[in-house]
Amino acid sequence: MSDPSAPYQRLYINIDHVATIRQARRTDEPDPVAAATACEDAGADGITAHLREDRRHIQDDDVERLMSSTRTPFNLEIACTEEMLALVERLRPYQVTLVPEKRQEITTEGGLDLTHDPAALERAMARLRAAGVRSSLFIDPDVDAVARARDLGADAIELHTGSYAHHPDDTMQLTALAHAARFAKGLGLHVHAGHGLTVRNVGPVAAIPEIEELNIGHTIVSRAVFVGIAAAVVEMRAAMDHARSSLRT
Ligand code: PXP
């Protein structure tokens, strides 16, 4: 696969689980904002946080502090609710990724169902556009979902890599990601991806030329326990660059 025009692939670090550790004791450490700064210093291209309806990790105050302290683009993940859209209109982060949210889930389990209340999603896209916020929809790697995302007016899609991460040896999963990414780029969408990626499984996803941005969180915080968060970011960047360099040979 040789594609010298493949763009640089951005690494956005999701710092939610730094807040998960803090919330385990309802104290003030570790601070996800300090973690974001450390990730930026280590080469992260952007910072991602998910303000969940149940506030189980990131809190409203974290979002406000991230907005004023991040030097790189800030990507806020939210559910498509009036509360969250109003917050976004007030704070205007660089990018908003709409994700499905269920209270009982441990993590985001699948992509958005774009057939469920598309009018609400279309209104949300229009509100983000009016606020000058780049919009992304977190979807499964499915060409119908990609086409719907374009029709709803999204700037970008984020392809859910969870199925691939659970079954990295199942070539169908990788093929679905590659097809969806190519199809999306052909429609003029920006292509992001994420969920469940680690240094061990990131290579084949990083090597998909159309994927411009990866959002990675849990493994970074997990590795940080052993090597520190800066080293965890550097390790991930190296794994992505190694895979991406194969495109240019
Ligand atoms: N992208 C989205 C939309 C997510 O909801 C998450 C998890 O919060 C991630 C990426 C990152 O997933 P992980 O923590 O497994 O790296």
Side-chain angles (χ1 to χ4, degrees):
M1 203 175 6
S2 176
D3 183 356
S5 69
Y8 170 79
Q9 191 173 59
R10 302 183 294 274
L11 171 59
Y12 278 36
I13 302 295
N14 179 316
I15 41 79
D16 290 351
H17 295 306
V18 177
T20 301
I21 299 171
R22 180 193 60 193
Q23 294 310 106
R25 286 291 176 91
R26 302 279 191 279
T27 178
D28 59 0
E29 67 174 3
D31 181 7
V33 180
T37 303
C39 291
E40 290 176 323
D41 290 346
D45 300 293
I47 299 297
T48 295
H50 183 176
L51 184 65
R52 291 187 77 105
E53 203 187 354
D54 63 10
R55 309 299 200 268
R56 68 173 70 157
H57 38 53
I58 293 291
Q59 306 296 305
D60 297 57
D61 174 60
D62 295 327
V63 174
E64 304 240 4
R65 291 188 304 125
L66 285 164
M67 279 292 302
S68 60
S69 71
T70 46
R71 307 188 302 271
T72 57
F74 178 49
N75 171 40
L76 181 62
E77 294 177 3
I78 55 165
C80 184
T81 65
E82 179 53 38
E83 180 201 15
M84 292 298 160
L85 289 168
L87 180 130
V88 161
E89 285 173 331
R90 183 168 63 80
L91 297 179
R92 296 176 185 235
Y94 170 74
Q95 177 171 294
V96 159
T97 302
L98 292 186
V99 299
E101 216 175 275
K102 293 193 216 104
R103 276 190 181 250
Q104 300 79 6
E105 69 190 356
I106 292 176
T107 182
T108 316
E109 282 166 357
L112 281 165
D113 176 1
L114 303 185
T115 64
H116 174 75
D117 205 353
L121 289 166
E122 199 165 11
R123 280 196 301 277
M125 294 293 98
R127 283 173 71 172
L128 295 178
R129 199 176 315 114
V133 175
R134 190 176 194 266
S135 61
S136 179
L137 294 173
F138 187 50
I139 58 172
D140 291 325
D142 169 78
V143 289
D144 288 341
V146 172
R148 284 181 203 282
R150 195 275 311 266
D151 292 347
L152 290 169
D155 296 311
I157 51 156
E158 180 175 340
L159 296 173
H160 194 311
T161 51
S163 296
Y164 159 74
H166 284 131
H167 309 283
D169 299 325
D170 176 356
T171 54
M172 299 269 288
Q173 304 295 342
L174 200 57
T175 304
L177 286 165
H179 276 156
R182 194 172 318 130
F183 183 64
K185 187 173 181 190
L187 294 181
L189 288 161
H190 294 284
V191 188
H192 312 159
H195 209 282
L197 297 176
T198 67
V199 161
R200 287 182 306 284
N201 67 22
V202 76
V205 177
I208 296 174
E210 294 84 3
I211 297 181
E212 299 164 31
E213 174 183 313
L214 297 183
N215 276 283
I216 303 182
H218 186 265
T219 193
I220 298 292
V221 178
S222 304
R223 285 292 294 156
V225 171
F226 297 100
V227 301
I229 202 159
V233 172
V234 169
E235 281 178 356
M236 186 57 73
R237 182 73 254 174
M240 289 165 62
D241 287 344
H242 179 72
R244 208 74 180 162
S245 66
S246 68
L247 294 176
R248 300 190 187 91
T249 54

